[in-house]
Amino acid sequence: MEGLLNQLPIGLSIAAVLLLIALGLTFTFGQMGVINMAHGEFIMAGAYTAYMLQDWAGAQATAVALPVAFALAGGMGWVLERTAIRHFYGRPLDTLLLTWGVSLVLQQAARDIFGAPNVQVVAPSWLNGRIEVGGTVLPYNRLFILALAIVCVVGIWAYMNRSAQGRRMRAVMQNRELAACSGVATARVDQLTFFIGSGLAGVAGVALTLIGPVGPSLGTYYIVDAFLVVVAGGLGQLRGAVIAAVALGMLNSFAEFWTNASLAKVIVFGAIIAFLQVRPQGMFVLRSRALT
C-alpha cells in the first residue's frame, strides 16, 4: 500500500509535464489544424537551455532557464510558423510531414552540438528534499513541477478569458472566417498562438531536467502521449487537456507500478482507444458557429 501511495506524486508530475506539452499542441492543433511533430524538439531545446545555463547560473540554472527557455522555444516556433507552416494551412498531412522533417533536422543538430550521450542538469539544492504526508513521500522536485503546471494553466486561462488577445484567439478557434470578417487579424493571432504554445514546450523541457537526463531524443518520448492528451481532452479545450493529462499520467504511473514500462504503455493506448470508441470527439467539444 505504501508503494502504491508513493506512485501518486510520480503520476501527478508526469501529468504536469504532459499538460505543459499538450497546452501548446491543443491550441495549434485546435486553432490551425497543424500536427506539429517538431513540438518535441522545442521540449528538447528548453531542456538544453537549462544545461547550457548551468555554467553561468550553477545550481540555480532551472529557475533562470524557465523564462529563457520559454522565449527561445517560442521564438523557434514563431520562425517555423512564419517560414514554413503558414504555407500549408488546411493541409494537415503536409504539415505533419513538414514538421516531422524539421524535428529530424533539429535532433541531428542537437547531436552535432551537444553529442549523442545524455547530459545531466543539476537541480537546485532547495529541490533536493522531500516531505512525508500520510505515509506518502512527496519529493520537492515533483511538487515544483506540479506547481509550475498549475501556474501555467492559470496563466493560460486568464490570458484566454481576461485579455483581448485571448478572446481573439478563442474567436479564431471557433470560426476563423467569421473572426476575420469581424476585423480580427487571424494571421497575427496564429503567430502569437504558435509562439505561446512552443514556449510552453520549452518550459516543459526545463521541468523534465528535474526528473531525468537530457538527450537529443528527449521530446520524442513524450510527444505521442501529449497528442493522446489533446485528442482525449478535445481539440482546443483547456479543461479537457487538464483532465486528460491527469488521467493519463496517473494511469501510466500505476500501470508501471503493477507491471512494467512497456506494458504500461500498452494499457494506456488501449484505454485511449476504448475511450475514443465511445467519445471520438474527446471529453469536451469546441463550441463553434461554423454551421450557422
Side-chain angles (χ1 to χ4, degrees), residues 7-285:
Q7 292 299 115
L8 185 64
I10 297 175
L12 288 176
S13 60
I14 293 174
V17 170
L18 287 178
L19 180 57
L20 287 173
I21 301 170
L23 281 178
L25 287 176
T26 195
F27 296 129
T28 55
F29 194 23
Q31 176 176 315
M32 293 173 271
V34 173
I35 304 173
N36 183 16
M37 298 301 292
H39 201 73
E41 278 52 58
F42 299 152
I43 301 169
M44 175 194 68
Y48 273 118
T49 300
Y51 172 70
M52 293 186 67
L53 288 174
Q54 265 191 145
D55 293 336
W56 175 69
Q60 305 307 319
T62 300
V64 177
L66 286 173
V68 180
F70 180 84
L72 176 65
M76 291 173 65
W78 182 85
V79 171
L80 178 63
E81 196 274 341
R82 283 290 82 194
T83 57
I85 289 179
R86 71 189 180 99
H87 302 294
F88 295 90
Y89 282 149
R91 298 157 60 183
L93 293 181
D94 290 338
T95 59
L96 186 150
L97 292 175
L98 170 68
T99 55
W100 183 47
V102 172
S103 72
L104 295 178
V105 171
L106 291 176
Q107 284 187 34
Q108 187 58 46
R111 290 189 183 92
D112 293 340
I113 297 172
F114 301 103
N118 291 342
V119 296
Q120 194 73 43
V121 176
V122 179
S125 57
W126 46 274
L127 289 180
N128 289 332
R130 61 184 63 188
I131 59 173
E132 186 170 342
V133 179
T136 304
V137 177
L138 303 173
Y140 289 156
N141 59 345
R142 294 188 181 274
L143 290 177
F144 177 79
I145 293 172
L146 184 59
L148 182 64
I150 292 173
V151 169
C152 290
V153 169
V154 173
I156 289 295
W157 179 87
Y159 173 77
M160 294 188 67
N161 293 279
R162 295 290 184 266
S163 71
Q165 191 62 40
R167 286 191 285 271
R168 293 189 189 100
M169 180 193 294
R170 291 167 56 197
V172 174
M173 291 175 72
Q174 292 180 12
N175 191 317
R176 175 177 293 272
E177 289 74 20
L178 185 57
C181 291
S182 303
V184 176
T186 57
R188 190 176 302 170
V189 173
D190 290 343
Q191 295 172 36
L192 188 57
T193 302
F194 226 90
F195 176 85
I196 295 174
S198 303
L200 288 171
V203 172
V206 177
L208 283 172
T209 63
L210 297 174
I211 56 177
V214 179
S217 302
L218 176 67
T220 58
Y221 298 136
Y222 293 91
I223 190 68
V224 174
D225 287 350
F227 269 114
L228 290 177
V229 169
V230 173
V231 173
L235 298 182
Q237 291 295 319
L238 181 60
R239 57 178 174 170
V242 173
I243 296 173
V246 173
L248 262 67
M250 298 303 294
L251 178 60
N252 187 75
S253 175
F254 286 112
E256 276 193 24
F257 177 77
W258 291 111
T259 58
N260 55 60
S262 300
L263 192 53
K265 287 290 182 187
V266 175
I267 294 173
V268 170
F269 278 122
I272 292 294
I273 291 172
F275 174 75
L276 292 179
Q277 295 302 309
V278 180
R279 289 187 66 84
Q281 73 277 26
M283 291 181 188
F284 302 99
V285 180

